[in-house]
Amino acid sequence: MSQPLTGPELAGSCPIPKSRYPEITMGHGAGGQLMEDLIHRIIVPTFDNDILAALEDQATLSLPQSDSRLAFTTDSYVVQPLFFPGGDIGKLAVHGTVNDLAVGGARPLALSAGLILEEGLPIETLERVLRSMGEACRDADVRLVTGDTKVVERGKGDQIFINTSGVGLVAKDRTLSIASVRSGDKLIVSGTLGDHGIAILSVREGLEFETTIESDSAPLSGLTEKVLATGAPVRVMRDLTRGGLSSVLHELARSSQVGLVLEESAIPLKREVRAACEILGLDPLYVANEGKLVAAVPAESAEDVLDAMRQHPLGADAAIVGEAVADHPTMVLMRSAVGGERVVTMISGEQLPRIC
Amino acid sequence: MRYLDEYRDPVAARKLVQGIERAMTRPWTLMEICGGQTHTIVKFGIDRLLPKALELVHGPGCPVCVTSLEVIDRAHSIASRPEVIFTSFGDMLRVPGSQGDLLELKARGADVRVVYSPLDAVELAAKHPYRDIVFFAVGFETTAPANAMAVKQARRRGLDNFSILASHVLVPPAIEFLLQSPANRVDGFLGPGHVCTVMGTEEYEPLAERYGVPIEITGFEPVDMLEGILRTVEQLEAGEAKVRTPYRRVVSREGNPHARDLLAEVFDVCDRKWRGIGTIPASGYRLSESYRAFDAASRFDVETVETRESPICISGEILQGVKKPLDCPAFSTACTPQTPLGATMVSSEGACAAYYAYGRHLEAATTEVAR
């Protein structure tokens, strides 16, 4: 039941309205406002601790008598279809967790995997997914060292769900943080946006369309090492996943209390992705990626970092797309091609295709 | 990218803006009919490039916004049935009825699916012979031909488990309704480019003549919009009231004859209730007698439930161009895309949603603080 639409709710109207949904909807998992609401309103307060509350992609914990800190992260994978152009659920499950470690400057050491299998899943499908996970581990130079398997009744799962957790080591003096962006910093994305989301859409039941776009699923640890090896005082790196570039930029803007300004014409997009977004009525700023990151770096180091990224195969299309400013803290603006400026808002739930 | 970049060219846009500045000798109020046009205006900040004396008000052309609460409740009632797979364009899913929206129904177990085309829903009907596939057929003359085609295909393929819940609306009667209103302050119209791609432009001529308003059939990209605005201003300044078509690359005077024939075969014109506005005579399509078997409303014999709109929401006045989103006390506070109180906040093409999506409320707040 939604709230009754009556007047008194207006009294003392809160700028952040209470969520309208008494049940979990798909939008709560889409990386936008609804999910953020869930995290801030329910999850973080429940476990009340500063490491969780920092909301970095990875928690870092001190180790006794060591020059390193332990980076720790977890992620679950529920993608459908399981196999799509450019990847599969197994690859994603390795890359996603490796990337959450890598963007914190950590060297990934080991992963765990929890498999939730639906009764009736062909063993052959499972083998295919696991083989792919194995290859992805080798590519990312990380070992899968522990795991768990559960089976649920037919209809209680969707073929296969995977959770992976990962640990890595990060140098003690490394201070990458979403709260450290300063006015004047440049924003660099490592390549074209939206490839993964559009590749998945192109094979989803009911939406099939012909495209050559492949998912960008890839381990970013090589790229992040390259960036950090420049010695540039990188403020933060984040991998772009659900909710796209927009969601990450909103987190940066809020945690660092800066405004961000994007230059629409500078944002790298594959021609096919741009066309698909125009046709489907989607905004590439909100479309998912699985092998891209955004970095905020001081202006004087921006060219060095950009060069370093471009020398790596996964950063060939890297570009400076905007900067942090002191004006309008927490807001993300975009200068449009025609010259007008607009605010980029955080998406509410899922991007719903437009009617016409 | 062809057909895109040249219509977003900053140099061409600047020239048109200068043309508009030169052409204006007095204030004018123009209305863009389509939700898609409203979206472009706000997304690219076009209203801010224009002279202050030129006001753009936003029209009723958002199909999601104007679908009546009764129809939405009927859709929800059908979607809740266990034998039904309810299919819809994406942005209808978030429209609140009296008891929540389709996303919530889905969360509680209803089989609700987003399709990009009604023909995909027909395919589902072929694939699931023991389920009832219902397509939520809303929209203007633009989406009507594809929906008509879906019904026709379903009949040809003998798919009697397919039906549509039709609530189509038509543009010309809505324009006439606005022009007859004593509150009307619109001097000229940017006509609906894609509606006219289907229907042609002829039916707009009597409107322009009878009410003395220029109508320029306009496209959806920034340069298209600015060209439509310039030409409407030029007509107004010259005291003319004609229907003309700058959006010539897809619109012709006779429209698409195949699509029009199909519409005439599958649909009848009927009175239609518009959300926020009321009933407008002869402003909708329903399935014609020979296709009535595909009408979901009669197939599922849905009772009409009593409906209640938010007393605060001013979407009716916004849809008629009398007010703007920032005039509403609930805008961005009690009413947001997560908690929409009314039609214009719901669809991505609604004026309130467009203002919200592009942060007009945040800017308003910032200006307020700066003062």
Side-chain angles (χ1 to χ4, degrees):
Chain A
M1 268 314 153
S2 56
Q3 296 168 29
L5 304 173
T6 49
E9 279 163 51
L10 265 182
S13 54
C14 168
I16 300 171
K18 216 167 94 188
S19 173
R20 195 160 62 87
Y21 297 110
E23 283 122 6
I24 292 294
T25 66
M26 293 305 292
H28 286 102
Q33 194 79 52
L34 286 173
M35 184 165 146
E36 226 206 33
D37 195 47
L38 210 59
I39 292 172
H40 286 276
R41 216 158 43 84
I42 304 179
I43 299 174
V44 171
T46 306
F47 300 100
D48 188 30
N49 72 68
D50 52 346
I51 302 177
L52 178 65
L55 296 176
E56 301 285 353
D57 274 345
Q58 67 300 118
T60 54
L61 309 165
S62 15
L63 296 170
Q65 293 149 18
S66 168
D67 292 338
S68 301
R69 289 159 64 81
L70 185 74
F72 180 30
T73 190
T74 189
D75 211 333
S76 301
Y77 302 84
V78 296
V79 67
Q80 269 298 344
L82 298 180
F83 304 92
F84 47 82
D88 55 70
I89 189 169
K91 261 202 184 96
L92 277 190
V94 172
H95 293 158
T97 296
V98 163
N99 291 348
D100 280 345
L101 293 171
V103 292
R107 189 164 48 83
L109 284 181
L111 301 184
S112 73
L115 305 175
I116 297 172
L117 310 176
E118 185 189 10
E119 180 185 27
L121 177 78
I123 297 281
E124 196 199 334
T125 306
L126 177 63
E127 283 177 333
R128 224 177 123 192
V129 169
L130 294 181
R131 265 201 307 276
S132 179
M133 285 182 85
E135 276 167 33
C137 284
R138 277 190 292 282
D139 285 351
D141 197 17
V142 65
R143 285 189 301 172
L144 202 156
V145 294
T146 182
D148 175 57
T149 305
K150 295 281 188 296
V151 177
V152 295
E153 279 172 54
R154 188 184 278 271
K156 300 281 167 69
D158 194 0
Q159 291 185 286
I160 178 165
F161 297 146
I162 304 176
N163 170 275
T164 54
S165 295
V167 291
L169 289 177
V170 57
K172 221 173 197 164
D173 53 0
R174 186 143 288 152
T175 53
L176 299 174
S177 160
I178 52 169
S180 66
V181 183
R182 298 288 164 262
S183 158
D185 288 355
K186 298 286 180 191
L187 300 169
I188 307 176
V189 297
S190 65
T192 54
L193 299 187
D195 302 2
H196 176 72
I198 297 298
I200 294 278
L201 267 187
S202 74
V203 290
R204 191 155 277 179
E205 191 193 1
L207 288 185
E208 295 100 334
F209 54 92
E210 274 178 47
T211 171
T212 53
I213 302 161
E214 296 201 336
S215 166
D216 55 356
S217 180
L220 292 170
S221 34
L223 183 67
T224 54
E225 270 169 35
K226 194 112 197 167
V227 167
L228 294 171
T230 61
V234 178
R235 312 279 195 204
V236 62
M237 294 186 283
R238 294 285 277 209
D239 65 329
L240 309 175
T241 55
R242 278 167 307 170
L245 179 63
S246 158
S247 282
V248 171
L249 293 184
H250 278 99
E251 287 174 46
L252 296 191
R254 181 166 28 206
S255 293
S256 297
Q257 287 295 307
V258 291
L260 300 176
V261 181
L262 291 174
E263 206 61 62
E264 186 171 26
S265 54
I267 292 172
L269 284 178
K270 287 202 170 77
R271 206 176 149 270
E272 299 86 336
V273 170
R274 193 175 161 211
C277 284
E278 287 289 340
I279 292 167
L280 301 175
L282 302 174
D283 187 335
L285 287 182
Y286 302 113
V287 178
N289 308 271
E290 287 293 345
K292 299 288 153 50
L293 61 81
V294 62
V297 292
E300 59 275 17
S301 310
E303 289 298 329
D304 288 349
V305 171
L306 185 66
D307 286 346
M309 277 195 199
R310 285 181 172 166
Q311 280 167 28
H312 192 279
L314 291 177
D317 298 318
I320 297 176
V321 296
E323 62 181 352
V325 294
D327 293 344
H328 55 82
T330 74
M331 274 166 74
V332 182
L333 298 191
M334 176 137 101
R335 265 194 285 272
S336 84
V338 188
E341 234 175 38
R342 65 163 160 117
V343 176
V344 177
T345 51
M346 195 162 189
I347 194 166
S348 161
E350 288 183 288
Q351 251 200 126
L352 295 171
R354 277 168 44 191
I355 207 162
C356 57
Chain B
M1 197 178 299
R2 256 188 96 195
Y3 301 121
L4 206 54
D5 293 328
E6 63 264 49
Y7 298 104
R8 292 183 186 175
D9 175 31
V11 179
R14 212 169 308 128
K15 269 198 196 132
L16 286 164
V17 170
Q18 286 162 358
I20 294 165
E21 282 163 357
R22 271 198 303 272
M24 297 233 332
T25 63
R26 44 167 291 196
W28 299 109
T29 300
L30 310 188
M31 173 184 275
E32 80 280 0
I33 291 292
C34 297
Q37 293 168 334
T38 305
H39 214 68
T40 301
I41 288 170
V42 188
K43 179 170 178 183
F44 291 92
I46 287 174
D47 49 340
R48 286 158 177 183
L49 303 172
L50 298 172
K52 284 222 160 34
L54 183 66
E55 190 183 358
L56 294 177
V57 293
H58 316 307
C62 159
V64 176
C65 301
V66 299
T67 301
S68 75
L69 197 51
E70 287 85 351
V71 171
I72 289 162
D73 282 347
R74 205 169 291 154
H76 292 182
S77 157
I78 293 172
S80 303
R81 302 171 77 107
E83 74 275 25
V84 166
I85 299 177
F86 193 85
T87 58
S88 168
F89 292 133
D91 46 5
M92 286 306 291
L93 264 58
R94 211 157 41 211
V95 187
S98 304
Q99 311 272 315
D101 61 26
L102 283 168
L103 292 168
E104 281 179 270
L105 282 186
K106 182 165 179 274
R108 285 185 222 130
D111 195 342
V112 178
R113 304 189 191 182
V114 172
V115 290
Y116 263 104
S117 156
L119 299 178
D120 294 340
V122 174
E123 285 311 317
L124 275 178
K127 216 166 139 187
H128 301 279
Y130 301 110
R131 303 284 301 276
D132 267 301
I133 315 302
V134 181
F135 178 72
F136 200 176
V138 297
F140 283 88
E141 295 95 322
T142 337
T143 51
N147 298 346
M149 178 61 84
V151 173
K152 202 174 161 163
Q153 278 197 9
R155 184 158 84 176
R156 189 168 50 75
R157 296 169 67 177
L159 298 169
D160 50 16
N161 61 331
F162 177 81
S163 60
I164 66 172
L165 182 62
S167 183
H168 279 293
V169 277
L170 307 175
V171 170
I175 293 186
E176 180 142 35
F177 179 86
L178 297 178
L179 288 169
Q180 284 171 347
S181 158
N184 174 56
R185 55 198 187 96
V186 178
D187 301 309
F189 288 92
L190 307 180
H194 291 153
V195 167
C196 292
T197 308
V198 174
M199 302 302 287
T201 60
E202 221 178 320
E203 54 184 338
Y204 293 84
E205 290 164 8
L207 288 173
E209 204 173 312
R210 199 172 315 144
Y211 296 94
V213 288
I215 302 175
E216 294 278 349
I217 309 302
T218 301
F220 295 80
E221 293 297 327
V223 169
D224 287 322
M225 300 279 312
L226 287 166
E227 194 184 355
I229 292 167
L230 172 61
R231 292 174 53 137
T232 312
V233 168
E234 283 173 347
Q235 282 210 53
L236 286 167
E237 292 285 344
E240 287 177 337
K242 292 186 190 138
V243 175
R244 302 190 308 190
T245 306
Y247 197 33
R248 201 159 283 288
R249 67 183 184 279
V250 292
V251 178
S252 65
R253 187 162 181 268
E254 51 289 336
N256 179 337
H258 295 296
R260 291 175 67 176
D261 289 348
L262 186 63
L263 291 176
E265 178 189 338
V266 175
F267 292 122
D268 285 339
V269 172
C270 63
D271 296 351
R272 174 76 65 210
K273 187 171 175 187
W274 296 52
R275 190 170 194 176
I277 295 180
T279 300
I280 303 178
S283 69
Y285 282 143
R286 63 166 178 218
L287 285 166
S288 63
E289 199 53 51
S290 58
Y291 285 93
R292 204 58 59 77
F294 293 92
D295 179 16
S298 50
R299 179 176 298 189
F300 295 98
D301 191 24
V302 207
E303 275 176 60
T304 318
V305 277
E306 204 179 309
T307 58
R308 196 162 54 113
E309 290 277 9
S310 158
I312 311 156
C313 177
I314 60 164
S315 61
E317 285 153 293
I318 291 171
L319 287 167
Q320 295 173 59
V322 180
K323 286 191 175 170
K324 288 190 165 189
L326 294 175
D327 298 329
C328 179
F331 178 73
S332 87
T333 53
C335 183
T336 71
Q338 283 113 274
T339 57
L341 291 186
T344 41
M345 184 58 95
V346 166
S347 159
S348 56
E349 289 184 19
C352 293
Y355 270 56
Y356 194 95
Y358 298 121
R360 290 285 165 104
H361 57 297
L362 299 171
E363 290 172 24
T366 316
T367 326
E368 209 56 41
V369 170
R371 276 181 204 149

